[in-house]
Amino acid sequence: MEIIERKTLKEKPAENEPLGFGRYFTDYMFTMKYTAEKGWHDAKIEPNEPKPFDLATSIFHYAQGIFEGMKAFLQPNGDVAVFRPEENWARMNRSAERMCIPQFPVEVVQEGLEDLLKLEKDWIPKRAGTALYIRPTIVATRVMLGVHASTEYLFFIILSPVGSYYTHGLEPTRLLVEDYYVRSSLGGTGEAKCLGNYAASMKAGELAEEKGFDQVLWLDANEKKYVEEVGSMNMFFVLDGEVITPSLVGSILPGITRKSCLQILRDKGYRVSERRISIDEVIEGAENGTLEEAFGTGTAAVISPVGLIRYRDKDYTINGGKMGSVTKMLYDTITGIQNGTFPDEYGWRKIIR
Ligand code: COI
């Protein structure tokens, strides 16, 4: 693939510097254009530098855009591994379909990602709990104000060395159950990874943060009764020996870490179910002691224990505010597969050479 070189390279964060999430960006990015006449074309690697855009570009007005989140990890033998990229590309093309964005050629973006990672290998952080976060994105680039699907798009992949998504690392998170605002409704865009979902979640997220919570736990839009997800994570509950995650009813993002956890749990013989779970069932379990654990799963958040849930002004502590054994097993297994310290029984590590 064509590489346009930059004149000077950026300074990389020091090895012991706390990376946070999405604060540093590497030297290069992958880009590819779409026009109605040419289809997807002009795939290349170029310097990751600011781009000038006409302010009438449709993405700024109507948010016709989608993204993905993946991670690359340095293996003990020096190889680079990406966790299940084919799953992200498949989901991204499903999101594209929902948002009237043309399907992209998976083999071209995979090649672009591999070339980009080979070029940026030195940016992959080495410390435990860190990774090189991969952010593929498609935005509508036609300059026009009519509310129609764009006829031009830009596909890009930027890379960011990251640490923990939460500022407090693996400390259990505190969730506020939101029973006024909604993230998504049936027939909406909740199962697509589109930009607007995240914009729509910010009001409740900010209010929750003001009250000292990490995130909002969303309920279904129709009855405000069933647990959906956390926006940056899918949810799991260990209730009376059963591991339960909300079924993908159409308004929930089909997480790849979620899917991986389900497979690990089933193969290890846990009692697992994907079903609707009401907030009343969760609260009842917290009150009578049968709610053993709660945790969230996501690419950025990995496996995050939940230590406290507030619902209707009452706080419920889960597992004494500590990480439970199922959560720990999944954290160790998923990160072990990603870091190359566990055998890759499922073939989830895509090695880039
Ligand atoms: C991810 O986990 O990669 C996400 O996209 C969630 C969030 C950081 C937006």
Side-chain angles (χ1 to χ4, degrees), residues 221-236:
N222 201 22
E223 295 176 78
K224 310 266 173 58
K225 180 174 175 188
Y226 295 101
V227 172
E228 298 239 303
E229 59 158 284
V230 174
S232 58
M233 310 192 290
N234 290 110
M235 279 303 298
F236 283 76

Side-chain angles (χ1 to χ4, degrees), residues 310-335:
R310 179 178 293 177
Y311 181 51
R312 295 189 172 152
D313 294 328
K314 236 182 128 187
D315 287 351
Y316 302 88
T317 302
I318 302 162
N319 193 36
K322 297 204 168 55
M323 184 192 252
S325 58
V326 178
T327 313
K328 172 98 175 57
M329 180 280 292
L330 286 170
Y331 179 84
D332 289 344
T333 310
I334 293 276
T335 57

Side-chain angles (χ1 to χ4, degrees), residues 195-309:
L195 310 192
N197 287 348
Y198 296 82
S201 75
M202 282 177 192
K203 180 75 181 171
E206 291 291 304
L207 292 173
E209 271 180 34
E210 274 169 28
K211 293 183 185 150
F213 292 86
D214 296 297
Q215 298 257 301
V216 162
L217 179 55
W218 298 105
L219 301 180
D220 75 284
N222 201 22
E223 295 176 78
K224 310 266 173 58
K225 180 174 175 188
Y226 295 101
V227 172
E228 298 239 303
E229 59 158 284
V230 174
S232 58
M233 310 192 290
N234 290 110
M235 279 303 298
F236 283 76
F237 300 93
V238 186
L239 197 60
D240 211 7
E242 185 185 17
V243 189
I244 305 161
T245 189
S247 39
L248 301 176
V249 286
S251 47
I252 296 176
L253 190 85
I256 292 150
T257 315
R258 172 190 182 276
K259 183 174 174 177
S260 308
C261 288
L262 284 171
Q263 184 156 357
I264 293 167
L265 289 162
R266 288 192 175 116
D267 290 354
K268 286 191 185 291
Y270 286 83
R271 201 147 55 84
V272 180
S273 61
E274 289 176 78
R275 64 168 170 86
R276 300 201 92 186
I277 175 164
S278 69
I279 188 64
D280 289 342
E281 192 179 344
V282 172
I283 297 304
E284 194 185 312
E287 280 177 332
N288 67 20
T290 51
L291 179 63
E292 295 153 28
E293 296 178 43
F295 57 92
T297 64
T299 299
V302 197
I303 310 289
S304 286
V306 174
L308 182 133
I309 291 181

Side-chain angles (χ1 to χ4, degrees), residues 21 67-70 133 135 165 193 198 231-233 298-301:
F21 183 83
F67 72 95
E68 273 299 324
M70 311 183 202
Y133 185 74
R135 176 52 67 90
Y165 184 65
K193 206 162 173 64
Y198 296 82
S232 58
M233 310 192 290
T299 299

Side-chain angles (χ1 to χ4, degrees), residues 1-32:
M1 187 162 298
E2 184 194 0
I3 299 178
I4 301 174
E5 291 202 15
R6 54 186 298 153
K7 290 191 186 75
T8 52
L9 295 181
K10 298 180 191 174
E11 200 174 318
K12 298 184 178 59
E15 223 174 276
N16 57 354
E17 189 150 333
L19 295 169
F21 183 83
R23 298 209 318 250
Y24 298 97
F25 296 94
T26 70
D27 292 299
Y28 289 93
M29 61 185 173
F30 165 83
T31 61
M32 178 169 74

